[in-house]
Amino acid sequence: ASYWGASEGAVQFVVYEKLKKKSQQKHKSEKLPKSEYLRMAGLSKLAATLLTYPHEVARTRMREQATAAGAFKYTGMFPTLRVIGREEGVRGLYAGLGTHVARVVPNSALMFCAYEVVGSWIKEQERKKSS
């Protein structure tokens, strides 16, 4: 189950790099407008989140469960996903998604954009030094 949780970042980077490559081909330039970096980063984070969010719901349910009798309703990642799916359907697996997306997508978009802008600036400074 922890591999699923760790896969969000991997999915995000793969999707981002694919979008970036297509955009560079479209613009016929390696350097892209800042708005394009924001758009690609936001879309890649959204895609990664949609694929991995049920894992977050299950993790939260397992962590937050408390019973007076000491018996746990959720016993493992996949059994938890099955219980939520059976009792609540797909809506249960994506409960709280809107709030989560509103928090993580803008943050990720700004972080990726800053990375690209700073990286481009550093390359430019190195070129100026070597000329």
Side-chain angles (χ1 to χ4, degrees), residues 3 11 13-15 29-30 37 74 86 109 118 122 126-127:
Y3 292 122
V11 169
F13 276 97
V14 169
V15 171
S29 172
E30 207 171 284
Y37 292 123
Y74 305 116
R86 188 173 45 249
V118 170
I122 289 171
E126 288 173 348
R127 270 195 295 272

Side-chain angles (χ1 to χ4, degrees), residues 6 16 18 20 23 28 35 40 52-53 58 62 67 71-72 87 100 102 104 106 108 110 113 117 119 124 126 131:
Y16 178 77
K18 292 226 181 261
K20 182 173 150 183
S23 188
K28 295 179 174 69
S35 60
M40 294 180 306
T52 60
Y53 194 71
M62 289 189 305
T67 62
F72 293 109
E87 292 180 357
H100 183 72
V104 298
S108 184
L110 289 172
C113 185
V117 169
E124 207 171 289
E126 288 173 348
S131 325

Side-chain angles (χ1 to χ4, degrees), residues 2-3 5 9-10 12 19 25-26 28 34 40 51 58 62 66-67 77-78 90 96 105 112 124:
S2 61
Y3 292 122
Q12 182 181 357
L19 290 172
Q25 290 169 347
K26 178 184 167 193
K28 295 179 174 69
K34 291 174 189 73
M40 294 180 306
L51 286 171
M62 289 189 305
T67 62
M77 182 57 60
F78 295 109
V90 174
V105 169
F112 272 66
E124 207 171 289

Side-chain angles (χ1 to χ4, degrees), residues 3-128:
Y3 292 122
W4 190 1
S7 68
E8 183 178 2
V11 169
Q12 182 181 357
F13 276 97
V14 169
V15 171
Y16 178 77
E17 287 300 322
K18 292 226 181 261
L19 290 172
K20 182 173 150 183
K21 188 174 182 176
K22 283 184 179 187
S23 188
Q24 288 170 330
Q25 290 169 347
K26 178 184 167 193
H27 286 87
K28 295 179 174 69
S29 172
E30 207 171 284
K31 192 172 181 181
L32 299 169
K34 291 174 189 73
S35 60
E36 189 68 3
Y37 292 123
L38 286 169
R39 184 186 71 78
M40 294 180 306
L43 286 173
S44 64
K45 182 62 172 183
L46 180 60
T49 299
L50 290 173
L51 286 171
T52 60
Y53 194 71
H55 169 266
E56 292 299 315
V57 170
R59 243 177 32 137
T60 301
R61 298 276 181 101
M62 289 189 305
R63 183 180 63 236
E64 301 297 325
Q65 70 182 329
T67 62
F72 293 109
K73 181 177 184 178
Y74 305 116
T75 58
M77 182 57 60
F78 295 109
T80 299
L81 290 169
R82 279 192 292 278
V83 168
I84 295 169
R86 188 173 45 249
E87 292 180 357
E88 302 171 43
V90 174
R91 282 186 144 195
L93 293 171
Y94 286 91
L97 178 67
T99 304
H100 183 72
V101 165
R103 185 174 50 85
V104 298
V105 169
N107 178 55
S108 184
L110 289 172
M111 184 183 68
F112 272 66
C113 185
Y115 171 81
E116 294 290 354
V117 169
V118 170
S120 177
W121 181 81
I122 289 171
K123 285 179 187 175
E124 207 171 289
Q125 298 307 307
E126 288 173 348
R127 270 195 295 272
K128 286 179 182 178

